[in-house]
């Protein structure tokens, strides 16, 4: 599998020196920590408290590269704490030899931790100035725990933060973070920080063995079947579409909705076929709509005079839940918000996408997350933001490269822009 102890060192070799230095410093501090109340380390908590608008799984982690940069600048141990709907450690764990991102169990309650908010509604603020000011504020704060996050999970704001990470990681030119895309280095960062917990890993291995999927020798498709909300409202009505994207209820797979989703599916398959390098290469399919997944796996598609069959995981699976729906779901069924196993399919599909050679995905950040775990080396977007399909090939397959400019470079402690150790 593509995650675990054996992937940590190779991944470290692909990162800029400043990030390798921070990860190694983080590891050394954790090794010296006895994880008792006597611990004197200072932590920067990437948080999801009950009062925060945290978004879904992808929304919460897309800005992780930037927060690693920020933590390195203020010499704090980055840790991740989710109280809603449960801790991230219920789904992922640090690999042996990797960076342990788990917060100490004795961390104070939310009301006793000072929280720093980026942007705070000021969308037009100069991003570098905001971050540089935040660095000074954090350096002057000597609390053992501080938490940090954005005002919301707006993808353009996250891109602005991640482009600061990019500019501070490359010497001359960098791949631009735009739309819902993850930075290319995500594939290496995640292999150092994360691996699925054993129950999810067993499920992944079973799917790969059953369908004879070999890492980097298959293509993946993801279709967001419950999004965008506006398009769903046009098809089924406002009341029926409400909270449908969050998995609170399912809609009948028939009529206009079925016709619409099948057009999206057929176009996605056409896009994926264009990415294949071998006629025998398997195509893995996943979606947040279980009915659509069942249809996709049971039917054959005729593309370019070829019969195309898809493979995937559907056995014993309920409708995919959305982490951002926790408050709504909790008012109906507490078990759905507290049982982590209901969210295992999210991680399983994500990491199986990330093990592919190429990814064809639609709108939203989840499919882009899977492509990011491949390093964005081979990907295409098969759907417009409006929800309509877009034919392939299209410009989404091209990376945007920009020059590193001073307006994105953060100053070090001596007020210099240090180019040492960048890619």
């Amino acid at each position: 599998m593509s995650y675990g102890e054996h992937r940590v060192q190779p991944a470290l070799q692909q990162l800029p020196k400043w990030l390798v230095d921070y990860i190694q410093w983080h590891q050394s501090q954790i090794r010296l920590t006895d994880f008792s109340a006597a611990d004197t380390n200072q932590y920067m908590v990437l948080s999801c408290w009950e009062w925060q608008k945290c978004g879904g799984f992808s929304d919460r982690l897309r800005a992780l590269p930037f927060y690693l940069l920020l933590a390195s600048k203020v010499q704090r141990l980055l840790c991740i704490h989710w109280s809603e709907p449960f801790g991230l450690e219920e789904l992922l764990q640090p690999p042996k030899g990797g960076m342990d991102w788990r917060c100490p169990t004795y961390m104070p309650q939310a009301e006793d931790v000072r929280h720093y908010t980026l942007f705070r509604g000021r969308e037009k603020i100069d991003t570098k100035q905001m971050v540089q000011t935040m660095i000074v504020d954090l350096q002057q704060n000597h609390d053992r725990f501080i938490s940090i996050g954005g005002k919301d999970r707006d993808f353009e704001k996250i891109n602005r933060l991640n482009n600061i990470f990019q500019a501070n990681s490359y010497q001359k030119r960098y791949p631009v973070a735009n739309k819902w895309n993850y930075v290319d280095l995500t594939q290496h960062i995640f292999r150092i920080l994360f691996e699925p917990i054993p129950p999810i890993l067993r499920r992944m291995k079973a799917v790969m063995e059953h369908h004879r999927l070999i890492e980097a020798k298959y293509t993946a498709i993801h279709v967001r079947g419950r999004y965008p909300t506006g398009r769903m409202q046009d098809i089924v009505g406002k009341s029926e579409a409400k909270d449908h994207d969050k998995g609170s209820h399912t809609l009948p797979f028939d009529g206009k909705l079925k016709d619409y989703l099948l057009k999206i599916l057929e176009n996605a398959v056409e896009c994926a076929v264009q990415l294949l390098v071998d006629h025998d290469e398997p195509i893995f399919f996943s979606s947040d709509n279980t009915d659509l997944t069942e249809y996709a796996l049971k039917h054959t598609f005729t593309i370019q005079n070829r019969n195309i069959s898809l493979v995937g995981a559907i056995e014993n699976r309920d409708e995919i839940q959305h982490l951002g729906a926790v408050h709504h779901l909790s008012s109906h069924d507490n078990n759905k918000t507290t049982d982590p196993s209901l969210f295992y399919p999210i991680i399983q599909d994500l990491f199986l996408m990330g093990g592919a050679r190429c990814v064809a995905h639609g709108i939203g950040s989840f499919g882009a997350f899977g492509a990011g775990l491949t390093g964005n080396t081979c990907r295409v977007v098969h759907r417009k933001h409006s929800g309509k399909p877009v034919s392939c090939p299209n410009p989404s397959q091209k990376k945007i490269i920009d020059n590193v400019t001073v307006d994105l470079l953060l100053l070090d402690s001596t007020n210099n822009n240090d180019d040492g150790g960048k890619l």
Side-chain angles (χ1 to χ4, degrees):
M1 295 297 291
S2 59
Y3 289 80
E5 181 181 6
H6 66 293
R7 297 302 296 266
V8 172
Q9 288 303 317
L12 278 168
Q13 294 172 10
Q14 303 301 316
L15 298 180
K17 185 176 184 300
W18 71 259
L19 183 49
V20 174
D21 289 344
Y22 173 73
I23 290 171
Q24 292 177 341
W25 172 79
H26 190 292
Q27 291 171 317
S28 67
Q29 296 301 112
I30 292 297
R31 282 195 293 268
L32 295 173
T33 300
D34 62 3
F35 293 105
S36 70
D39 174 15
T40 59
N41 287 318
Q42 291 185 317
Y43 294 87
M44 188 178 86
V45 183
L46 189 53
S47 62
C48 173
W49 304 109
E50 294 180 2
W51 52 268
Q52 287 180 280
K53 184 179 179 181
C54 301
F57 186 78
S58 176
D59 298 325
R60 301 181 187 200
L61 293 176
R62 196 160 73 90
L64 179 59
F66 164 77
Y67 287 114
L68 285 166
L69 173 63
L70 183 61
S72 75
K73 291 293 184 181
V74 298
Q75 285 292 282
R76 281 181 174 267
L77 298 178
L78 179 72
C79 69
I80 302 173
H81 174 80
W82 295 355
S83 61
E84 294 292 336
F86 41 71
L88 178 58
E89 57 272 18
E90 297 288 348
L91 302 173
L92 301 177
Q93 63 187 18
K96 185 177 180 180
M99 181 180 132
D100 193 339
W101 44 266
R102 294 170 296 188
C103 294
T105 56
Y106 50 83
M107 190 177 72
Q109 297 297 312
E111 58 270 20
D112 297 321
V113 178
R114 180 174 177 183
H115 182 76
Y116 290 81
T117 303
L118 293 161
F119 292 105
R120 290 185 293 186
R122 297 177 292 172
E123 286 78 5
K124 295 182 179 180
I125 189 173
D126 179 90
T127 309
K128 174 189 171 180
Q129 179 183 351
M130 174 191 68
V131 173
Q132 206 75 64
T133 300
M134 180 73 71
I135 289 173
V136 174
D137 290 346
L138 293 178
Q139 288 173 334
Q140 294 175 349
N141 186 323
H142 301 294
D143 294 346
R144 287 174 60 193
F145 293 91
I146 60 97
S147 75
I148 194 162
K151 178 178 179 291
D152 51 43
R153 306 301 179 186
D154 177 75
F155 72 91
E156 291 183 350
K157 295 174 186 174
I158 294 176
N159 287 339
R160 288 160 65 179
L161 297 176
N162 276 343
N163 279 325
I164 288 182
F165 167 85
Q166 294 287 75
N168 286 271
S169 298
Y170 294 83
Q171 289 191 37
K172 301 298 182 183
R173 293 168 64 78
Y174 67 95
V176 175
N178 67 327
K179 298 184 179 179
W180 292 280
N181 297 344
Y182 278 67
V183 302
D184 295 353
L185 293 178
T186 295
Q187 65 167 324
H188 306 303
I189 292 171
F190 267 67
R191 283 170 171 80
I192 296 166
L193 270 68
F194 304 111
E195 65 177 359
I197 61 172
I200 300 177
L201 191 60
R202 287 193 293 270
R203 292 165 63 133
M204 290 173 55
K205 286 183 177 180
V207 172
M208 295 187 74
E209 290 174 0
H210 179 72
H211 296 298
R212 298 180 180 179
L213 299 178
I214 300 173
E215 183 183 352
K217 293 188 177 181
Y218 63 94
T219 287
I221 298 174
H222 182 263
V223 173
R224 185 92 175 261
R226 305 194 302 243
Y227 187 81
T229 303
R231 188 71 182 111
M232 291 294 107
Q233 291 176 353
D234 294 340
I235 297 171
V236 302
K238 189 173 183 179
S239 61
E240 288 295 314
K242 183 180 180 181
D243 293 321
H244 172 56
D245 179 46
K246 298 178 179 179
S248 62
H249 64 281
T250 59
L251 296 174
F253 189 61
D254 57 23
K256 292 182 178 179
L257 177 61
K258 181 177 180 180
D259 292 342
Y260 168 69
L261 291 177
L262 291 187
K263 289 180 181 178
I264 299 297
L265 170 61
E266 290 166 5
N267 182 68
V269 176
E270 289 186 11
C271 288
V273 168
Q274 294 183 27
L275 301 176
L276 301 180
V277 295
D278 188 323
H279 284 190
D280 296 326
E281 183 177 334
I283 301 178
F284 173 80
F285 179 83
S286 65
S287 173
D288 58 351
N289 187 303
T290 303
D291 291 323
L292 183 64
T293 302
E294 289 182 346
Y295 181 96
L297 302 186
K298 292 178 180 179
H299 289 77
T300 300
F301 303 84
T302 302
I303 309 292
Q304 300 174 4
N305 297 319
R306 293 171 52 197
N307 291 327
I308 304 296
S309 297
L310 310 179
V311 301
I314 196 65
E315 296 81 7
N316 302 316
R317 193 181 269 203
D318 294 326
E319 197 72 5
I320 298 291
Q321 300 296 340
H322 191 288
L323 285 177
V326 60
H327 296 297
H328 178 85
L329 292 175
S330 63
S331 65
H332 295 278
D333 185 349
N334 286 331
N335 290 329
K336 284 191 175 183
T337 64
T338 57
D339 182 2
S341 67
L342 290 172
F343 296 83
Y344 287 0
I346 295 177
I347 309 302
Q348 176 179 310
D349 286 354
L350 174 66
F351 280 76
L352 286 172
M353 276 195 289
R357 182 182 61 82
C358 297
V359 179
H361 64 88
I363 51 178
S365 62
F366 189 79
F369 197 168
L373 293 180
T374 71
N376 297 318
T377 54
C378 177
R379 57 184 289 274
V380 67
V381 178
H382 59 71
R383 199 173 174 193
K384 297 179 181 178
H385 180 61
S386 64
K388 296 181 180 180
V390 57
S391 60
C392 299
N394 60 60
S396 69
Q397 294 168 263
K398 298 180 180 179
K399 290 185 181 182
I400 300 175
I401 307 296
D402 206 349
N403 294 323
V404 173
T405 54
V406 69
D407 61 307
L408 292 176
L409 293 176
L410 299 179
L411 301 176
D412 61 20
S413 58
T414 59
N415 293 327
N416 291 316
N417 294 321
D418 184 10
D419 282 335
K422 294 183 180 181
L423 298 175

